[in-house]
Amino acid sequence: MTSPPGYSYEKPRDDLPTIIKWARVLLTAALVPLGISTLRDPEAWLPVVGDINVAVHEFGHMLFMPFGIPVLGETMVILGGSLFQVVFPIIFVGYFLFSRKHRDPHAAMICLWWASTSVAGLAVYVADARARDLTLLSGLTGKESDGHDWYNLLSQWGVLGRDLVYASRMRAVAWLMFLVSTFVGFWVALFWAPRPEVQPEVTAGEP
């Protein structure tokens, strides 16, 4: 098909990459105040993220106790909730960083941000090991129930007196994860673009 004489055909401009770029910038910017408020006061959970973290935590317990059988022992059943709560978002960080088909560093940084809120929330649980004032899912506090994971774990390991030290270190790690997710997230949103797929060359005579 040829253009009429005197008519110059211009290919329509593709604005989608620009829209995606600035949507990612805005998303990263929106997560900054949310992350700061959550890390400063992890007990004031973000409604959706907090509920997801709790669900993942509880699934982690079940993961190490299929059909009610503690396959790796009672300690891993207790630790499994906290462990999986952190590992689960980290799995997605690795997936989006190293997947060949779906590599997306910005999505990885969003998941790292999620992981930072999870670690911050876990630090609150650890810090409460001796006090046991937190209300558990059962509706009872750790003093009224034997279901306080970190009281049980730290007591078993003989380091209950170091609960605040471990919690402080967890908070530091959470802030580091948050800062990395924010700065790298902005950089990726502004400057990273997926490599276009290279189409195989078709030589003469090939179908």
Side-chain angles (χ1 to χ4, degrees):
M1 181 177 179
T2 59
S3 300
Y7 176 81
S8 175
Y9 174 77
E10 293 184 1
K11 184 179 179 181
R13 187 175 64 183
D14 184 6
D15 291 328
L16 183 59
T18 302
I19 293 173
I20 293 175
K21 170 184 175 178
W22 290 109
R24 287 177 167 175
V25 170
L26 289 174
L27 175 59
T28 305
L31 291 179
V32 171
L34 292 177
I36 291 175
S37 63
T38 301
L39 268 64
R40 283 181 173 175
D41 184 11
E43 293 184 75
W45 283 106
L46 297 176
V48 177
V49 177
D51 291 342
I52 292 174
N53 286 339
V54 170
V56 172
H57 180 103
E58 293 306 311
F59 178 77
H61 289 306
M62 297 299 101
L63 186 65
F64 290 92
M65 191 173 61
F67 308 106
I69 303 171
V71 291
L72 296 178
E74 293 291 344
T75 298
M76 281 308 302
V77 174
I78 300 172
L79 180 61
S82 299
L83 183 64
F84 197 64
Q85 179 179 331
V86 175
V87 169
F88 188 69
I90 295 296
I91 290 173
F92 286 96
V93 174
Y95 174 78
F96 285 118
L97 283 179
F98 302 110
S99 172
R100 289 186 178 182
K101 291 185 177 181
H102 302 104
R103 185 168 185 264
D104 188 339
H106 187 265
M109 292 304 102
I110 299 301
C111 293
L112 185 62
W113 176 92
W114 171 20
S116 74
T117 68
S118 187
V119 174
L122 194 58
V124 174
Y125 201 5
V126 174
D128 185 63
R130 276 180 293 177
R132 289 180 289 164
D133 290 329
L134 288 179
T135 301
L136 308 177
L137 288 181
S138 64
L140 303 175
T141 67
K143 292 176 180 176
E144 302 165 332
S145 164
D146 61 357
H148 195 295
D149 294 349
W150 283 97
Y151 171 78
N152 293 326
L153 288 169
L154 297 183
S155 296
Q156 178 180 326
W157 295 335
V159 290
L160 182 61
R162 294 181 61 81
D163 57 350
L164 297 181
V165 175
Y166 297 143
S168 176
R169 291 173 180 174
M170 285 182 174
R171 283 192 290 270
V173 170
W175 276 102
L176 179 61
M177 295 167 71
F178 166 73
L179 292 172
V180 170
S181 71
T182 299
F183 287 109
V184 177
F186 274 122
W187 187 91
V188 169
L190 289 169
F191 302 112
W192 182 84
R195 294 180 180 179
E197 294 185 5
V198 178
Q199 299 296 332
E201 295 183 2
V202 178
T203 58
E206 290 186 356

